[in-house]
Amino acid sequence: KNQVEQSPQSLIILEGKNCTLQCNYTVSPFSNLRWYKQDTGRGPVSLTIMTFSENTKSNGRYTATLDADTKQSSLHITASQLSDSASYICVVLGESNDYKLSFGAGTTVTVRA
Amino acid sequence: DTAVSQTPKYLVTQMGNDKSIKCEQNLGHDTMYWYKQDSKKFLKIMFSYNNKELIINETVPNRFSPKSPDKAHLNLHINSLELGDSAVYFCASSLGQGAYTEAFFGQGTRLTVV
């Protein structure tokens, strides 16, 4: 069973609307949690990195939240744009010296005009 | 200007062939990685190199052999290709392996074995 689960698998929203993506993880002990954006045919690009002591972090219209007690994170996209259409991947790094990232399967977001 | 570049972007080959994927980064990073993204979209680490030395080898079949001629390059050679090797392979690099180190990914190489 994968240690990082994301929901929904995909969603479609209208341009200008908001949406929230969910991530649950079981990686323990925990170091940090990242959200990546992956455009079709491209590699993932980092949006945010949060440690266990951080509850929220923003990057423009993207806001990530983290509850380390319940091992849940969310990514909120505000006022969506067509360019937000992509896969959003939740990634967790456990506490170790080998930088092994655990990836979720991603949520595919489609923004329609 | 590309930070992490991989070649080729697409690769279609027959079973049993040997092929290589090249990766170069111009960020001055000392750690490089190979990831495999399967049909279910999960990215899984295969190898990581730090200053040309192998750090992580995630029980990848020995048909896969990474080669790092210098810290800016990490190539992936695959022998005797099998249908199950079909996937998208991503190269990445980072400045060290600290917990908050950012990893930068290439655009991926879509390998199709027929």
Side-chain angles (χ1 to χ4, degrees), chain A residues 21-88:
Chain A
L21 316 179
Q22 301 293 338
C23 174
N24 296 333
Y25 63 92
T26 58
V27 176
S28 182
F30 165 83
S31 177
N32 58 65
L33 184 144
R34 304 145 184 248
W35 282 94
Y36 281 83
K37 178 186 179 186
Q38 185 175 16
D39 292 312
T40 301
R42 311 288 294 179
V45 175
S46 177
L47 293 175
T48 62
I49 298 178
M50 298 199 305
T51 68
F52 66 89
S53 61
E54 295 178 289
N55 298 122
T56 184
K57 181 164 280 190
S58 293
N59 178 356
R61 293 179 297 100
Y62 301 103
T63 299
T65 65
L66 174 64
D67 186 333
D69 292 331
T70 61
K71 295 184 170 55
Q72 295 179 325
S73 177
S74 66
L75 181 69
H76 187 75
I77 305 176
T78 303
S80 60
Q81 300 176 358
L82 297 178
S83 60
D84 292 331
S85 294
S87 179
Y88 292 85

